[in-house]
Amino acid sequence: MGWYRVRGYPHFDQPISEAKATALVTDPARVARHSFWPFVAYERVEQRFDWDTRQRKDPKRRPVAYASHVDSHVYAYYAVLLSEGYERELTRRGLGDVVLAYRTTGKSNVEFAKEAFERIRQTGACVALCRDLKSYFDTIDHGLLKRRWCTVLGEPRLPDDHYAVYRSLTTYAKVDRNWMHSHFNVPRKGRRRSRRICSPEQFRAIVRQSGSTRAGEPRGIIVNRDKFGIPQGSPISALLSNVYLLELDEELNKVVSGVDGFYRRYCDDILIVCPPCHKLSVERKLGDLLDAHKLKLNRDKSEDIVFTVSSRLVALHPTRGSHFPMQYLGFSFDGEHVRIRPSSISRFYRKMRKRVWRSRLSAARHVSNKKVFRGVLYERYTHLGGKNFVSYAYRSARSMNDNGIRRQLRRHWDKLDEFLKRPLPRGGLMGHARVTPPATACSTGHADLSTSNDGSAVTSPAQTPPA
């Protein structure tokens, strides 16, 4: 069923074979008695940039927790079991096209966005309500989740094995990753990444006995004592985020379809398109349903886009009346043209620059081989690679039938060349001193390092840019 997967990160237990994992997860009695390890938790930080003001925005922070090796197999297997019942419920309730994320549909966000934009073009004058749920995973109510879980299984109460999985995800324990690294010699990278963090004796003596928190600093095991919130990052969390909103999806889809609109949900991103005259009634119904599910909207990420028809379809801001493209699933749509969001383009170039500079610093530190491996850079950041952001953009342009998307990345080759020639930042990366490597001969699969007038390392790509 595709649930077994070896995970390479270090945790409190060791990886087990597929045979041992199968013997565990297929035995409900063993699962009901299974003792789950604490999650390892950290905060994923993503830098953001406001293109309107040309200023850096507050970084986006997302809490992530990953389960132990054995526990991950349990979660993955029960996700498969629960998914079968969830898909049956979606079919029975006519929601197969409504819920988009975390399902095997054979489509990607490109097809989902294209469908939404085409529906808006066909509708003409309408209003698009783009809503985002605030801290969704952290606010899922445990009692409601349990009832939805029973609904999907078709049972009046959770079986003992399902209840054990449910309890491990609601009253879950976690250990901060930074705290873990400070107490144990755990490599972040390298060949021994998947080794056990500590012995069971060390776990009991150090982790379990270290207390919970002091002065806001994570210490050892932290247990969720609230009646809401599940960890974001386990193999079953994404599915549960869909299961939790089963009743909301059904009710809201009925209301929106009843006014000749359409409703789509991609995890915590909600899109409602309806005639302007029904906007207020739809918003009231959405508010009532969110209150019933104990959820709130993120007002900073919620937008209303008004589409009007004059000589063509135009997207406008509801109060200012100025052109205001709709943002959806990584794309922007102004009523006529589709583009990849500028923030995504900017993030791609930041990653390119960081990778190039790391390659140059690494090449400079190796006395015997002062070369930048251009093949890796081409594969990741140019049209020569098979699966990267550029190929994704080109595929999006073909799917949307809009070459403007392709033109957004017309300078990607020049950008790569620029980063290869630009002087390294003072102090380098991660505190490295500025490096001026000597010139070396070029070889197949590498880029030749030479020295520019200012003494910095430069590289001349051997390939030709796209036409």
Side-chain angles (χ1 to χ4, degrees), residues 122-133:
Q122 296 170 8
T123 303
C126 61
V127 59
L129 309 180
C130 304
R131 299 291 184 263
D132 182 88
L133 300 179

Side-chain angles (χ1 to χ4, degrees), residues 249-298:
D249 290 333
E250 182 180 26
E251 289 297 319
L252 195 54
N253 186 56
K254 288 180 180 178
V255 171
V256 176
S257 299
V259 295
D260 295 328
F262 74 97
Y263 161 64
R264 296 291 184 270
R265 183 178 61 81
Y266 193 99
C267 188
D268 57 356
D269 290 329
I270 292 175
L271 173 64
I272 299 172
V273 177
C274 64
C277 59
H278 294 289
K279 174 180 178 293
L280 293 179
S281 63
V282 170
E283 280 190 307
R284 282 195 297 269
K285 183 62 176 179
L286 174 60
D288 293 341
L289 289 171
L290 291 178
D291 290 341
H293 286 74
K294 303 180 182 181
L295 299 173
K296 294 182 179 180
L297 291 177
N298 186 344

Side-chain angles (χ1 to χ4, degrees), residues 37-65:
W37 290 96
F39 288 82
V40 173
Y42 69 99
E43 193 175 60
R44 181 177 296 168
V45 180
E46 179 182 327
Q47 299 297 329
R48 298 189 298 173
F49 188 80
D50 191 328
W51 282 87
D52 294 330
T53 62
R54 299 289 176 177
Q55 298 290 329
R56 285 186 179 272
K57 299 171 63 177
D58 292 336
K60 182 178 181 180
R61 302 180 183 276
R62 177 176 298 172
V64 178

